[in-house]
């Protein structure tokens, strides 16, 4: 029990939270709604049962439901029910409409409340809620997004006010960021450097054209855009130039870079830090975020900003962005209100999940149409998105002559090989001075590498090598390529996204056109290959059918579509071939809303019956759960692990240890854990490491983490 002088009064808390929530929600026109939620969210604490609880009673007391009941009484069924979801969920998370356990919002509102010991705060008249769309489906989706946005504003305000009162020293540590205009000023020297870069090659001329196209398109109003640029065309910095200028012209509050792979997230964040400085780039993903932090670690200022994305430049993963947009838990949803009024760059947009495509696009459409966002689909292989999926909103192509750009940046020649044995493929690679071969599974990579032999300049790459290990190997590869030394690499798909390497020859196991295009982006990347007379020549990309065939399931279907497109188009990397691939891909019976999320949202429009928790469980970008295992790869890793084992809060070491972490599937983890190869760092932390004594058995300097049997037969 605290002394009376250390209590924050209920009225002070309600008024402060209401004001903070209103300020946040005003960004998307829902300030009054959020103000009402703030005033009512904790009104249930003014009951005799809750006051007794505060003074030591062991009896539980529900304080959240009373505010929901008052909202329905005061504002009627529609607005009141909307507020009830928000208020009743501000601690445990947005509730479902109905639940067998009795935890649904409809169940809560039926319960008899306790008498209040104070007057109910006066709230303003509620404005009419409207959306720009005439589509009933979109209108209902908008209501779910509005609930999530106001919920996010309320939860963040509640956290911030409580923190300011009970932990003012922590509140003071929250970083203060400059404006978007200040970021633009910091970017100006880099922009001038890019604009003055020597136009001494076709590649550099094309990159300048991409940059100028982005600067020109940035003057357009908010909306949907496509940046369709071949790999190596300078998308990253050109899209940043677009985002900064567009944000200033249109009054956006922040720029969000969303990337499908953690490795590229880290890479892009590092590029941006070189421009803006370390403290002005917020990097948030599973290894660098605040999700699993507690105690001392939560005091770190960068981690505090990860809680609510209160920063002008956020670099994150698709998992963080999209799963947050469909989240019910307060910790994940807290950042959603700061996604409104943002420029969202979706790098490698072709990776948007097919089975969740329709709800994903519905969310993006809602952000653009109703919450002031701009979205850019940024990729070399642009997905074929139908206008009706965006409720008729036009997507503007930033580069007017994409066919011309792809033609000018064409640096490879695609050649098809029928089925080839592993031994014959290995022999071809041995004959090459420099070559990259990309296969579809870990097992295929290990097998081919063993056939190739561990000769001078032979390398293996896969995701079961920890990032520090891969970085060192890639550094060696780049050095050998630069010095024109022998260099033959066998890799899984991990080199296809954001890895800046340049081989004269690439072999790619048959896959979808998007994967083949990524592989081709590692061939003659800078367009410097020449014949004996000094004339430019294309690099060779060989697409082959592997001896063991294709991995079954969806991957096989994509590869077969890729094969079909290659029959129709001599150059399958041109935009029209890519469009045909995606048209076929989206039209082969693939369910673009496999979890029936849109149906769940529109099932009972009159009741406003939304199953928020069910939807959160359904919307998962990664369904095969993975477990991170820290590898004691070098002395630095071993020292960090020793410190973590002795620390009260071992989670604070996660950021540094991410360089030594390998993600493996649950069944792989269970196999290694059962054999005593993996240890746990403290109870309840969920942090695991490879036992140092097991390194010789489980971790190979060439192959990375090794397991027995068919555990490595996985697509990476």
């Amino acid at each position: 029990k605290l002394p009376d002088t250390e209590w924050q009064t209920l009225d002070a808390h309600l008024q402060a939270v209401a004001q903070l929530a209103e300020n946040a929600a005003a960004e998307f026109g829902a300030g009054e709604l959020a103000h009402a939620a703030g005033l009512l969210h904790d009104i249930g604490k003014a009951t005799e049962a809750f006051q007794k609880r505060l003074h030591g009673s062991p009896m539980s007391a529900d304080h959240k439901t009373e505010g929901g009941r008052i909202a329905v009484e005061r504002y009627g069924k529609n607005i009141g029910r909307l507020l009830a979801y928000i208020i009743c969920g501000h601690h445990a998370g947005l509730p479902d409409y109905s639940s067998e356990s009795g935890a649904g919002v409809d169940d809560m509102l039926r319960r008899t409340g306790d008498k209040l010991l104070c007057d109910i705060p006066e709230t303003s008249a509620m404005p009419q809620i409207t959306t720009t769309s005439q589509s009933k489906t979109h209108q209902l989706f908008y209501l779910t997004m509005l609930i999530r946005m106001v919920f996010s504003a309320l939860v963040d305000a509640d956290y911030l006010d409580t923190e300011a009162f009970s932990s003012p020293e922590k509140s003071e540590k929250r970083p203060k960021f400059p404006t978007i205009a200040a970021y633009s000023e910091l970017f100006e020297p880099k922009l001038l450097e890019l604009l003055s870069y020597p136009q001494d090659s076709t590649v550099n001329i094309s990159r300048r054209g991409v940059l100028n196209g982005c600067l020109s398109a940035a003057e357009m109003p908010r909306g949907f855009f496509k940046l369709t640029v071949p790999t190596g065309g300078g998308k990253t910095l050109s899209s940043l130039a677009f985002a900064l200028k567009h944000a200033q012209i249109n009054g956006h509050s922040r720029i969000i870079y969303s990337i499908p792979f953690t490795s590229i997230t880290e890479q892009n964040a590092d590029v941006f830090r070189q421009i803006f400085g370390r403290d002005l780039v917020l990097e948030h993903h599973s290894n660098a975020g605040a999700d699993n932090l507690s105690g001392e670690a939560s005091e770190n200022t960068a981690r505090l900003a990860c809680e609510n994305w209160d920063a002008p430049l956020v670099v994150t993963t698709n998992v963080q962005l999209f799963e947050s947009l469909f989240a019910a838990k307060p910790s994940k949803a807290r950042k959603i209100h700061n996604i409104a009024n943002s420029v969202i760059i979706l790098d490698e947009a072709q990776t948007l999940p097919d089975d969740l495509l329709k709800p994903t696009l519905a969310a993006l459409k809602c952000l653009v149409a109703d919450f002031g966002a701009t979205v850019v689909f940024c990729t070399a292989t642009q997905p074929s998105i139908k206008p009706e999926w965006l409720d008729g909103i036009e997507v503007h192509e930033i580069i007017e002559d994409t066919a011309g750009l792809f033609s000018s940046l064409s640096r490879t020649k695609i050649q098809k090989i029928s089925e080839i044995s592993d031994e014959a493929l290995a022999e071809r690679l041995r004959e090459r001075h420099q070559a990259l071969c990309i296969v579809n599974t870990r097992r295929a990579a290990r097998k081919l590498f063993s056939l190739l032999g561990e000769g001078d300049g032979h390398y293996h790459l896969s995701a079961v090598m920890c990032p520090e290990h891969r970085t060192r190997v890639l550094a060696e590869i780049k050095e050998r390529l630069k010095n024109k030394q022998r260099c033959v690499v066998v890799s899984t798909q991990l080199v296809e996204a954001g890895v800046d390497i340049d081989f004269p020859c690439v072999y790619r196991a048959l896959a979808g056109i998007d994967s083949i295009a990524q592989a081709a982006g590692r061939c003659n990347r800078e367009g410097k290959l020449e014949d004996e007379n000094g004339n430019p020549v294309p690099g060779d990309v060989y697409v082959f059918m592997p001896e063991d065939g294709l991995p079954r399931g969806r991957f096989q279907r994509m590869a077969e579509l890729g094969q079909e497109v290659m029959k129709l188009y001599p150059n399958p990397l041109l935009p029209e071939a890519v469009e045909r691939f995606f048209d076929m891909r989206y039209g082969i019976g693939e369910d673009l809303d496999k979890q029936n999320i849109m149906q769940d949202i529109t099932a009972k429009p009159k009741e406003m019956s939304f199953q928020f928790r069910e939807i959160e469980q359904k919307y998962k970008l990664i369904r095969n759960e993975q477990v991170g295992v820290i590898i004691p790869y070098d002395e630095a890793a071993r020292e960090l692990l020793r410190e973590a084992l002795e620390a009260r809060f071992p989670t604070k070491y996660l950021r540094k240890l991410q360089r030594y972490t390998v993600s493996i599937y649950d069944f792989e983890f269970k196999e290694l854990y059962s054999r005593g190869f993996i240890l746990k760092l403290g109870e309840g932390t969920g942090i695991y490491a490879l036992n140092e004594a097991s390194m010789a058995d489980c971790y190979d300097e060439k192959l990375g983490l090794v397991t027995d049997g068919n555990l490595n037969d996985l697509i990476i």
Side-chain angles (χ1 to χ4, degrees):
K1 179 179 179 301
L2 293 171
D4 289 344
T5 55
E6 294 185 27
W7 292 104
Q8 182 185 28
T9 66
L10 178 59
D11 182 64
H13 178 63
L14 295 180
Q15 295 294 338
V17 170
Q19 191 59 58
L20 286 170
E22 179 181 1
N23 294 344
E27 189 102 327
F28 45 89
E32 290 183 332
L33 194 65
H35 189 271
L39 286 179
L40 297 176
H41 81 288
D42 272 354
I43 193 66
K45 291 181 177 179
T47 60
E48 185 175 351
F50 193 87
Q51 291 300 309
K52 287 181 178 179
R53 177 72 175 145
L54 287 180
H55 288 83
S57 170
M59 300 297 292
S60 62
D62 169 26
H63 75 275
K64 61 187 183 300
T65 306
E66 189 61 35
R69 275 195 294 267
I70 293 171
V72 174
E73 291 171 4
R74 180 169 290 187
Y75 301 114
K77 177 182 175 182
N78 292 331
I79 303 300
R81 176 61 56 80
L82 186 152
L83 280 168
Y85 277 113
I86 295 163
I87 294 167
C88 292
H90 77 275
H91 279 304
L94 285 170
D96 289 335
Y97 175 76
S98 60
S99 169
E100 292 182 2
S101 66
V105 70
D106 190 52
D107 304 307
M108 295 183 197
L109 296 177
R110 294 177 190 276
R111 297 172 194 155
T112 303
D114 295 330
K115 181 180 178 181
L116 293 179
L117 303 177
C118 68
D119 293 332
I120 302 170
E122 287 298 320
T123 55
S124 60
M126 196 57 55
Q128 187 69 33
I129 294 174
T130 58
T131 173
T132 58
S133 176
Q134 298 302 309
S135 160
K136 293 295 183 183
T137 297
H138 177 81
Q139 289 172 9
L140 288 165
F141 195 97
Y142 164 72
L143 286 177
T144 67
M145 186 67 81
L146 181 64
I147 290 169
R148 294 179 191 281
M149 285 283 182
V150 178
F151 173 69
S152 171
L154 172 66
V155 168
D156 192 37
D158 197 16
Y159 274 116
L160 291 175
D161 182 64
T162 301
E163 178 183 280
F165 182 82
S166 59
S167 304
E169 69 290 343
K170 180 179 176 181
S171 184
E172 284 297 314
K173 288 183 179 180
R174 288 195 171 272
K176 308 296 188 293
F177 292 97
T179 62
I180 286 286
Y183 278 76
S184 292
E185 289 181 16
L186 290 170
F187 183 63
E188 191 66 24
K190 186 66 177 180
L191 180 59
L192 292 174
E193 176 190 328
L194 294 170
L195 289 171
S196 61
Y197 205 75
Q199 302 296 281
D200 55 357
S201 69
T202 302
V203 171
N204 287 339
I205 293 170
S206 297
R207 287 172 178 168
R208 172 77 68 82
V210 172
L211 177 59
N212 287 332
C214 285
L215 292 172
S216 177
E219 298 176 4
M220 296 180 68
R222 305 166 190 240
F224 279 105
F225 294 84
K226 293 189 290 186
L227 180 56
T228 311
V229 177
T231 302
K235 292 192 299 292
T236 300
L237 291 178
S238 292
S239 61
L240 176 62
F242 168 90
L244 285 168
K245 185 176 180 180
H246 186 76
Q248 275 202 279
I249 290 173
N250 290 283
H252 291 286
S253 302
R254 62 187 43 79
I255 296 164
I256 299 172
Y257 264 82
S258 184
I259 304 165
F261 311 110
T262 302
S263 58
I264 314 180
T265 306
E266 295 168 350
Q267 179 176 292
N268 282 10
D270 286 340
V271 170
F272 296 156
R273 288 190 189 103
Q274 292 172 20
I275 298 170
F276 302 110
R278 183 163 194 84
D279 296 335
L280 296 188
V281 179
L282 180 61
E283 179 185 356
H284 188 193
H285 48 77
S286 58
N287 289 330
D291 292 352
N292 298 310
L293 299 175
S294 59
E296 299 170 357
S298 66
E299 301 295 325
N300 181 284
T301 55
R303 308 301 175 83
L304 293 175
C306 284
E307 294 174 349
N308 60 1
W309 284 7
D310 189 12
L313 180 56
V314 180
V315 185
T316 189
T317 58
N318 287 358
V319 169
Q320 283 292 339
L321 174 65
F322 289 112
E323 290 192 3
S324 294
L325 287 171
F326 290 88
K329 294 184 181 69
S331 59
K332 291 197 74 172
R334 183 177 173 183
K335 65 178 81 74
I336 295 174
H337 70 282
N338 277 330
I339 299 174
N341 197 33
S342 296
V343 180
I344 303 168
I345 308 292
L346 299 177
D347 198 8
E348 305 295 350
Q350 79 282 356
T351 63
L352 292 177
D354 289 18
D355 61 344
L356 294 171
L357 189 63
K358 286 190 176 179
T360 299
L361 293 176
L364 292 173
K365 191 269 179 180
C366 202
L367 288 172
V368 170
D370 301 296
F371 294 97
T374 281
V375 171
V376 182
F377 299 107
C378 186
T379 176
T381 51
Q382 198 66 242
S384 181
I385 295 171
K386 307 302 180 189
E388 58 267 26
W389 297 345
L390 296 175
D391 203 19
I393 295 182
E394 182 183 357
V395 181
H396 302 283
E397 178 58 76
I398 291 175
I399 305 301
E400 293 181 2
D401 183 14
T402 55
L405 176 64
F406 273 74
S407 178
S408 65
L409 278 176
S410 178
R411 293 151 291 176
T412 60
K413 180 172 61 176
I414 307 295
Q415 302 176 63
K416 292 167 280 189
I417 302 175
S418 57
E419 183 176 315
I420 184 171
S421 70
D422 292 336
E423 184 56 63
L425 181 58
E427 183 59 33
R428 281 194 177 214
L429 294 173
R430 279 193 291 269
E431 292 172 355
R432 292 279 182 173
H433 184 64
Q434 292 183 341
L436 167 66
C437 182
I438 302 173
V439 294
N440 294 324
T441 68
R442 300 177 191 175
R443 184 177 68 174
R446 289 180 61 185
K447 181 181 178 183
L448 183 59
F449 183 74
S450 67
L451 290 171
L452 178 66
E454 296 187 18
D456 181 45
H458 293 181
Y459 296 93
H460 165 276
L461 285 169
S462 86
V464 289
M465 299 160 66
C466 70
E468 180 64 27
H469 187 182
R470 295 201 306 266
T471 297
R472 295 182 187 184
V473 172
L474 279 167
E476 284 187 39
I477 290 170
K478 290 178 182 180
E479 189 66 21
R480 295 184 78 93
L481 291 171
K482 177 183 175 183
N483 296 331
K484 302 188 184 305
Q485 296 172 278
R486 176 171 171 74
C487 185
V488 178
V489 179
V490 176
S491 177
T492 58
Q493 295 163 246
L494 68 86
V495 297
E496 290 182 346
V499 179
D500 188 7
I501 49 179
D502 191 352
F503 283 85
C505 170
V506 170
Y507 286 81
R508 180 57 170 98
L510 184 63
I513 294 299
D514 49 348
S515 294
I516 292 170
Q518 289 285 359
R522 314 308 130 193
C523 182
N524 196 22
R525 189 175 178 86
E526 297 297 324
K528 294 181 178 179
L529 285 182
E530 298 176 342
D531 62 18
E532 60 273 11
N533 298 317
N535 300 314
V537 294
D540 293 316
V541 176
Y542 298 97
V543 180
F544 65 92
M545 173 65 78
E547 177 184 80
D548 295 334
L550 300 167
R552 294 180 180 179
R554 184 178 179 278
F555 188 93
Q556 182 178 10
R557 294 196 298 275
M558 295 304 104
E560 289 170 348
L561 290 179
Q563 190 174 39
E564 187 67 25
V565 170
M566 290 175 69
K567 292 177 182 177
L568 298 172
Y569 295 88
N571 185 354
L573 306 186
L574 292 178
E576 58 265 30
V578 172
E579 183 177 6
R580 180 62 179 271
F581 169 73
F582 277 102
D583 282 341
M584 293 166 65
R585 171 170 159 176
Y586 295 151
I588 61 172
E590 288 285 302
D591 192 340
L592 303 182
D593 184 14
K594 194 172 183 178
Q595 301 297 321
N596 295 319
I597 291 172
M598 300 303 293
Q599 182 179 324
D600 289 347
I601 289 171
T602 59
K604 296 180 180 179
K606 291 184 179 179
E607 291 87 349
M608 215 185 295
S609 171
F610 305 131
Q611 298 294 98
F612 287 104
R613 297 190 183 187
E614 286 186 15
I615 290 171
E616 179 180 55
Q617 292 303 311
K618 288 181 175 183
Y619 193 97
K620 298 290 183 185
L621 268 67
I622 301 174
R623 296 207 166 270
N624 292 319
E625 293 296 326
Q626 293 185 311
V627 182
V629 177
I630 300 163
I631 308 297
Y633 177 69
D634 57 19
E635 184 53 40
R638 290 188 285 272
E639 179 60 30
L640 285 169
L641 278 171
R642 283 192 285 269
E643 292 179 18
L645 282 167
E646 296 173 1
R648 181 181 178 188
F649 299 108
T651 50
K652 72 179 182 178
Y653 291 91
L654 280 179
R655 182 70 174 88
K656 293 179 180 178
L657 284 168
Q658 77 180 60
R659 295 292 305 158
Y660 301 98
T661 301
V662 169
S663 292
I664 58 177
Y665 290 96
D666 188 57
F667 69 90
E668 294 178 288
F669 169 79
K670 289 176 179 176
E671 173 72 14
L672 290 172
Y673 192 75
S674 68
R675 290 154 65 182
F677 293 149
I678 291 177
L679 56 87
K680 191 174 185 179
L681 274 68
E683 288 301 317
T685 64
I687 306 173
Y688 300 92
L690 192 66
N691 192 322
E692 191 173 335
S694 302
M695 280 291 287
D697 296 319
C698 296
Y699 201 87
D700 183 86
E701 185 57 34
K702 290 285 186 179
L703 301 174
L705 189 63
V706 177
T707 53
D708 292 337
N710 62 356
L711 295 178
N712 287 287
D713 189 16
L714 295 166
I715 300 168
I716 313 176

